[in-house]
Amino acid sequence: MKKSILLLLLLFLLSILAAETVEIGILATEGKAECIERWCGLAKYLNDRLPQYEFQIIPIDYASVEKIAKTKNVDFLLINPYYYVLMEEKYQATRLATVETNIKGKPYNEYAGVIFCRADNQQINSLTDIKGKSFSAVSPQSFGGYLITRYLFSKFKINTSKDLKISFAGSHRAVVYEVMSGKSEAGSVRSGVLERMAADKLVDLDDIKIISEEKDCSDFPLLHSTCLFPEWPLAKLQHTSKDIAKQVTIELFEMSSESAAAKQAGIWGWTFPSNYQPVHQVLQNLQIAPYEKQDISILNLIIQQHLAEAIVIIIFIIAVAFLVVKLLSIRTKQKLETAVVEQVRNDLQSSQANLQALIESTDDVIVSFDREGKLLTFNNKFAEVVKKSSGLDIKPGMDLLKITPPDQKKFWESVYKRALNGKRFSEVMAYHKDSANPHYYHITFNPIIEDGKVVGFTEFSRDLSELKKTENELRKMYMAVEQGANAIIITDTEGKIEFVNPKFCELTGYSREEVIGKNPNILKSGNQDRNFYQNMWDTIKAGKNWHGELLNKKKNGEFYWEWATIAPIKNEDGEIINFIAINEDITKRKQAQQQLQEANQKLRELSANLEEKVDKAVAEIQEKEHMLIAQSRQAAMGEMIANIAHQWRQPLSAVAAIVQDIEDAYEFDELDTEYLENSVKKTMEQIQYMSQTIDDFRNFFNPNKSKQKFNIREKIEKILTFLNSSVKQYNIKIDLEIDENCTCHGYPNEFSQVVLNILNNAKDAIKENKPENPFIKISCKVNSEGKNIIKISNNGGKIPEDKIEKIFQPYFTTKKDGTGLGLYMSKMIVERNLKGRIELQNIENGVEFKIEI
């Protein structure tokens, strides 16, 4: 199925240079010149879509239709329904599509006959008034301009050859002129003629009286006197290639109502072939070719739908006729009468069985009813459909409307009423249209008329669902190709372009008309040599896909790059019939690659002396860092000296007091050996304390760069001894929560410098903001990953949110006399030397530093 759809799509897209002449014979109802003028757009449309053929319009008059079909002088016929039925019966013509006329912006595939006279003619007001009058028609073979009018007359017991003074004008317009000039008292033309002539200012509709206008076809927008019949079909003759017929049919179905061809012909487009059973019925009733002197019955209607099966039934009728003759010949022989009657009964039963077998052999729904809507005969397909829709098991005699699903009753009631008035119904219906699997049926409901009265009905329904699916698939695939983002080209096996999509035209600047039939080498830029293209052709002709980049040239001379994939298209026998190329515009990508190459070249040039520049830059950075470190250490030393000064004030005061006591003791003669030794001992303790302070100071700033394991609590407690005096001076409470297992492998002095910087900042913030109950809290815990999480918080006030992100930047400070280096160096030490991280956040009434090492 998919292969078939793809093949149809490819056939639909093919458009190559004309090679084979294809002739379309068209019935010229208004003269050959008018015919060519009206339908030449159709030939051009097909030539554009199927350029491998050259389509020509051949105007045909009424007298030449059968002769041309017989001599096979044309390939297709666009003729009226009468001639189609005749060609179908005599020359095995096959209808491919039915024309849809454009009436007031809507499509219609049916038309009618119009009976009219002059508005001032007081003698003609109804059909019966026409008896004995002069009457003008188009031609004895004109279906809309005579035969359906004659069919209507027969219902009113009007014999056109006996009751009318009839003349044939040869064209529809000639009929109108004869009536309006008074040459004929009344006339008939096909629907639409009067309106077109009025639009061309040739007649005034106010001057025309329509006789027996059909009131039950109020939805039909044109003047009409008869019921509606199917429009003209396009048919292929028996000798016409099925392949050509298939291609033509697809292209006709794709014709838009906005196309030049449709507008020039005054049509909407083309649709599925209509059911021409009503035409057969008219010709049977009138007993004209191909139904000279034949009776109308439900059996005949079924024969018309199934020609092959009809042959069997005709044989049966001949057999029955033979038996009847035989019966008459032996009627005088009493002893054989019973045997003959029995034989006839058996043969009739056999024929019924054969007829039922024929009905059951089709996938179409076939059913007949009597005038009251009671079932007469039906096939299993009809029973199956009813069972599925209503759940009923049907039997002969059941009422049509009682077996109809509730949601369809109103519709079928209207169809039934139309049929009671002798009007047929023929339409493509959609069931379950909103579901994922809608079903489409071409339904024809025909009245059975005997002696001018409706005696029953027949219904024929054909499932078009698969055809619709195929049509939808074709449309989707076509739209995918037409609206694709890449340029698509289809060529024949010699490389001649048959199809391009709009993206190709947009990319190259060529129109479809300019490239169809040409070779893609019109795009050559000269960038690829002959060997390149030879390799491409060798690959695809071997049945393989080819991929590669091409530099091509647009119509305006501009160059562009594309990535092309070219693949062979094979038929069901595996033979290559076409090539398809899908081309992606990669010009911008190639330009980007070129720019990248140029940038890489510049990088290579820069990299030649990059090492020297990097070394120089590193040296400059290191020099700056040394300066920052030196400045930071100087600042830290200043802080430390200030702390030492605090630490020394008390012992110096103590030493001064001891010296003062010794002097007082000497004056008051209290100085003895024991007193002196005791004073010297106290003085040495204070001096020893001060000496230890100097040692701690020296060790703290010892630039020891060897990593060692140290206890975090011990280091922090040592730092606090330097700050002891300052902390006491500002009544700062120190809260320590440090686990004993908090140890670190790194540089202890650098760690101490980080903590000291943070504590000095905390002390200064408390000194400046003077909070109640000032505190510094230091905690350390080991997390699940084995890292030390140190938090140092205080309540010396928050840092503005817009300054938090800058707090670790060099030379940024919130102090009036700060250097802006302490926290910057702390961050460098933590991240570079201790391989950790440090961050700051505001908390309630203060800040918290978090160090992870």
Side-chain angles (χ1 to χ4, degrees):
M1 180 66 180
K2 291 182 178 178
K3 289 183 178 179
S4 299
I5 292 174
L6 180 59
L7 180 59
L8 287 174
L9 175 61
L10 295 173
L11 291 173
F12 181 77
L13 297 174
L14 294 181
S15 46
I16 57 175
L17 292 175
E20 179 182 343
T21 300
V22 179
E23 296 182 328
I24 304 175
I26 301 180
L27 183 61
T29 59
E30 297 298 324
K32 294 184 178 181
E34 189 274 345
C35 177
I36 292 176
E37 180 181 357
R38 181 182 180 189
W39 294 104
C40 64
L42 173 64
K44 184 178 184 304
Y45 172 84
L46 292 174
N47 285 333
D48 291 341
R49 293 298 189 98
L50 300 170
Q52 66 269 40
Y53 306 111
E54 183 182 353
F55 290 88
Q56 295 182 357
I57 302 300
I58 307 298
I60 307 172
D61 57 30
Y62 287 102
S64 303
V65 174
E66 188 170 357
K67 178 182 178 182
I68 286 180
K70 184 176 181 180
T71 56
K72 304 179 181 179
N73 285 346
V74 296
D75 301 284
F76 298 94
L77 285 172
L78 179 56
I79 47 181
N80 69 22
Y82 161 69
Y83 272 123
Y84 167 67
V85 170
L86 190 61
M87 297 302 101
E88 181 183 51
E89 293 291 330
K90 298 185 70 173
Y91 302 107
Q92 290 74 55
T94 304
R95 63 189 186 275
L96 303 177
T98 294
V99 70
E100 286 185 310
T101 52
N102 190 338
I103 305 176
K104 299 180 180 179
K106 292 183 179 180
Y108 289 85
N109 62 348
E110 295 178 305
Y111 73 116
V114 184
I115 304 170
F116 68 102
C117 65
R118 285 173 41 160
D120 58 2
N121 189 332
Q122 301 300 319
Q123 296 181 346
I124 302 177
N125 295 295
S126 66
L127 287 178
T128 54
D129 294 337
I130 294 178
K131 276 189 176 183
K133 303 294 191 296
S134 58
F135 191 88
S136 181
V138 178
S139 166
Q141 296 82 26
S142 173
F143 189 72
Y146 176 62
L147 292 178
I148 53 179
T149 298
R150 181 181 166 189
Y151 175 64
L152 179 62
F153 282 160
S154 69
K155 296 180 182 181
F156 289 83
K157 307 300 181 182
I158 300 174
N159 187 311
T160 54
S161 60
K162 296 180 180 179
D163 299 330
L164 301 177
K165 300 173 185 177
I166 195 162
S167 63
F168 296 102
S171 71
H172 292 275
R173 287 191 177 185
V175 170
V176 177
Y177 291 143
E178 286 192 358
V179 173
M180 300 310 292
S181 66
K183 184 177 179 180
S184 294
E185 295 173 274
S188 65
V189 293
R190 66 161 284 162
S191 56
V193 171
L194 296 175
E195 286 87 347
R196 285 196 297 272
M197 293 183 69
D200 293 338
K201 308 297 184 181
L202 300 176
V203 295
D204 189 337
L205 293 181
D206 291 338
D207 297 334
I208 297 173
K209 181 193 298 183
I210 306 300
I211 308 301
S212 183
E213 183 175 0
E214 183 57 72
K215 302 300 183 184
D216 291 337
C217 297
S218 56
D219 57 338
F220 187 68
L222 297 177
L223 299 172
H224 57 285
S225 302
T226 71
C227 57
L228 303 178
F229 291 88
E231 265 288 3
W232 287 25
L234 179 78
K236 68 175 279 300
L237 296 177
Q238 190 176 19
H239 68 276
T240 306
S241 164
K242 291 182 179 179
D243 183 57
I244 297 176
K246 185 186 296 183
Q247 294 179 63
V248 169
T249 303
I250 292 173
E251 298 302 336
L252 290 182
F253 285 167
E254 287 296 324
M255 180 182 287
S256 166
S257 61
E258 297 300 318
S259 67
K263 290 181 177 179
Q264 188 171 356
I267 64 174
W268 181 273
W270 302 82
T271 187
F272 294 108
S274 295
N275 181 1
Y276 287 86
Q277 171 59 31
V279 181
H280 285 270
Q281 186 173 319
V282 168
L283 303 183
Q284 286 176 329
N285 179 276
L286 299 178
Q287 295 185 351
I288 60 177
Y291 296 107
E292 297 91 342
K293 298 182 180 179
Q294 292 190 7
D295 292 328
I296 298 176
S297 67
I298 184 172
L299 181 60
N300 287 342
L301 293 174
I302 295 176
I303 287 173
Q304 295 157 17
Q305 290 287 323
H306 303 277
L307 181 60
E309 295 92 327
I311 295 173
V312 177
I313 296 178
I314 291 170
I315 293 173
F316 160 71
I317 293 171
I318 294 172
V320 172
F322 174 76
L323 290 174
V324 171
V325 172
K326 184 177 179 181
L327 176 62
L328 293 174
S329 68
I330 65 172
R331 182 168 292 179
T332 56
K333 300 177 182 180
Q334 189 68 31
K335 61 180 181 178
L336 296 177
E337 185 178 18
T338 304
V340 171
V341 172
E342 186 64 27
Q343 180 66 38
V344 171
R345 184 184 295 112
N346 291 338
D347 287 342
L348 286 173
Q349 290 175 348
S350 176
S351 69
Q352 274 188 328
N354 290 335
L355 177 59
Q356 190 65 30
L358 290 173
I359 293 174
E360 298 298 347
S361 67
T362 179
D363 288 331
D364 298 339
V365 167
I366 300 177
V367 60
S368 64
F369 310 87
D370 64 14
R371 180 179 174 81
E372 282 69 39
K374 306 294 184 182
L375 282 175
L376 294 176
T377 59
F378 54 86
N379 62 355
N380 286 334
K381 189 66 178 179
F382 178 74
E384 177 186 324
V385 170
V386 173
K387 180 72 175 179
K388 187 175 181 179
S389 61
S390 63
L392 295 175
D393 294 317
I394 60 172
K395 297 178 181 179
M398 295 182 74
D399 193 303
L400 164 65
L401 296 179
K402 288 185 179 178
I403 63 176
T404 302
D407 60 335
Q408 300 177 20
K409 279 190 176 182
K410 188 174 181 180
F411 166 75
W412 282 108
E413 282 178 354
S414 66
V415 173
Y416 178 61
K417 288 179 180 178
R418 283 172 59 94
L420 283 174
N421 292 321
K423 300 177 181 62
R424 75 177 183 91
F425 172 84
S426 179
E427 192 171 317
V428 175
M429 305 290 294
Y431 292 92
H432 313 295
K433 192 170 183 180
D434 297 330
S435 69
N437 296 303
H439 282 271
Y440 295 86
Y441 292 92
H442 185 195
I443 299 173
T444 302
F445 200 84
N446 292 309
I448 303 171
I449 301 175
E450 292 182 359
D451 298 329
K453 295 182 179 179
V454 176
V455 297
F457 318 96
T458 60
E459 178 191 342
F460 300 91
S461 299
R462 175 162 295 174
D463 191 346
L464 301 178
S465 301
E466 288 302 318
L467 185 60
K468 275 286 186 180
K469 287 181 181 178
T470 301
E471 179 186 352
N472 291 335
E473 288 296 325
L474 281 172
R475 185 172 288 108
K476 290 177 185 176
M477 295 177 73
Y478 175 72
M479 294 306 296
V481 171
E482 281 288 292
Q483 299 177 5
N486 295 328
I488 296 177
I489 309 171
I490 295 178
T491 73
D492 64 11
T493 54
E494 299 301 319
K496 291 183 179 179
I497 298 175
E498 298 177 349
F499 168 83
V500 294
N501 69 344
K503 187 64 179 180
F504 170 89
C505 301
E506 176 188 334
L507 176 61
T508 66
Y510 286 100
S511 66
R512 279 183 176 173
E513 292 75 14
E514 289 176 307
V515 298
I516 296 301
K518 303 289 181 63
N519 193 289
N521 60 16
I522 62 174
L523 304 173
K524 276 187 177 181
S525 64
N527 186 66
Q528 293 81 216
D529 58 19
R530 178 177 296 180
N531 291 335
F532 177 89
Y533 290 106
Q534 186 62 49
N535 174 65
M536 176 196 299
W537 274 104
D538 291 345
T539 301
I540 60 178
K541 283 189 173 181
K544 301 177 183 178
N545 294 349
W546 181 89
H547 309 276
E549 290 183 353
L550 290 165
L551 179 63
N552 281 338
K553 185 168 63 174
K554 300 181 181 181
K555 181 181 178 181
N556 62 5
E558 180 183 344
F559 292 100
Y560 68 98
W561 283 96
E562 62 183 10
W563 175 262
T565 297
I566 306 176
I569 299 171
K570 301 178 181 180
N571 60 18
E572 294 180 353
D573 297 326
E575 299 172 341
I576 297 175
I577 57 174
N578 291 95
F579 296 109
I580 182 170
I582 301 174
N583 304 325
E584 178 188 1
D585 184 5
I586 60 170
T587 305
K588 292 183 179 179
R589 186 195 308 169
K590 294 291 288 185
Q591 290 173 348
Q593 289 176 351
Q594 179 65 30
Q595 292 172 358
L596 181 60
Q597 289 175 357
E598 293 173 357
N600 286 335
Q601 179 61 32
K602 290 181 180 179
L603 287 175
R604 283 193 292 271
E605 294 172 357
L606 289 173
S607 66
N609 57 356
L610 181 61
E611 185 175 353
E612 180 183 347
K613 292 182 179 179
V614 170
D615 290 342
K616 184 178 179 181
V618 168
E620 292 176 354
I621 292 172
Q622 288 178 342
E623 184 178 352
K624 290 180 180 179
E625 286 191 354
H626 288 318
M627 292 177 61
L628 290 175
I629 291 171
Q631 293 176 20
S632 177
R633 284 186 175 274
Q634 288 174 2
M637 289 176 67
E639 293 281 354
M640 187 61 73
I641 289 170
N643 288 323
I644 290 172
H646 279 291
Q647 294 288 77
W648 278 13
R649 282 194 184 99
Q650 185 177 352
L652 285 174
S653 297
V655 170
I658 293 171
V659 172
Q660 184 68 40
D661 285 345
I662 292 173
E663 185 179 0
D664 291 343
Y666 176 77
E667 288 181 2
F668 292 102
D669 198 21
E670 294 176 357
L671 184 63
D672 56 19
T673 303
E674 182 180 357
Y675 185 88
L676 183 59
E677 288 178 353
N678 187 41
S679 296
V680 170
K681 181 181 179 182
K682 289 181 180 179
T683 301
M684 290 306 296
E685 286 177 356
Q686 296 300 324
I687 292 172
Q688 183 65 36
Y689 172 77
M690 294 170 66
S691 176
Q692 182 64 43
T693 303
I694 294 299
D695 289 339
D696 290 341
F697 176 74
R698 183 177 65 251
N699 291 334
F700 180 81
F701 286 100
N702 182 22
N704 184 358
K705 279 298 180 179
S706 62
K707 288 186 177 182
Q708 53 186 277
K709 186 176 182 180
F710 61 90
N711 185 280
I712 292 176
R713 184 182 181 89
E714 291 178 0
K715 286 296 176 184
I716 292 177
E717 288 178 342
K718 192 68 174 177
I719 294 167
L720 289 174
T721 61
F722 297 139
L723 301 175
N724 187 42
S725 297
S726 299
V727 168
K728 288 182 179 179
Q729 182 181 357
Y730 300 113
N731 298 316
I732 300 173
K733 180 182 177 183
I734 303 294
D735 186 6
L736 293 181
E737 294 182 5
I738 303 176
D739 292 350
E740 292 296 333
N741 61 343
C742 288
T743 59
C744 180
H745 185 74
Y747 307 105
N749 283 353
E750 292 189 348
F751 171 77
S752 299
Q753 185 177 348
V754 171
V755 175
L756 181 61
N757 285 336
I758 294 173
L759 293 176
N760 277 328
N761 282 343
K763 180 196 67 175
D764 292 341
I766 290 172
K767 175 183 174 182
E768 181 178 351
N769 295 315
K770 299 180 177 59
E772 294 184 5
N773 303 316
F775 71 84
I776 296 175
K777 182 177 180 180
I778 306 172
S779 67
C780 180
K781 295 185 181 298
V782 180
N783 66 8
S784 59
E785 298 177 359
K787 294 183 178 181
N788 298 288
I789 307 300
I790 303 167
K791 296 181 179 180
I792 303 175
S793 59
N794 67 80
N795 63 343
K798 297 182 179 182
I799 295 176
E801 292 295 333
D802 60 337
K803 296 181 178 180
I804 286 182
E805 294 182 356
K806 304 177 181 178
I807 203 69
F808 291 108
Q809 294 180 3
Y811 303 113
F812 179 81
T813 180
T814 57
K815 303 178 186 178
K816 294 180 180 180
D817 55 353
T819 64
L821 295 175
L823 291 181
Y824 169 68
M825 292 305 302
S826 297
K827 182 176 178 67
M828 288 179 60
I829 290 170
V830 170
E831 293 181 351
R832 293 187 183 182
N833 298 347
L834 299 177
K835 306 302 180 186
R837 63 191 181 96
I838 182 172
E839 58 186 34
L840 169 69
Q841 67 174 356
N842 281 322
I843 60 173
E844 185 178 0
N845 299 324
V847 298
E848 178 184 83
F849 285 87
K850 179 181 177 182
I851 304 171
E852 182 180 318
I853 56 175

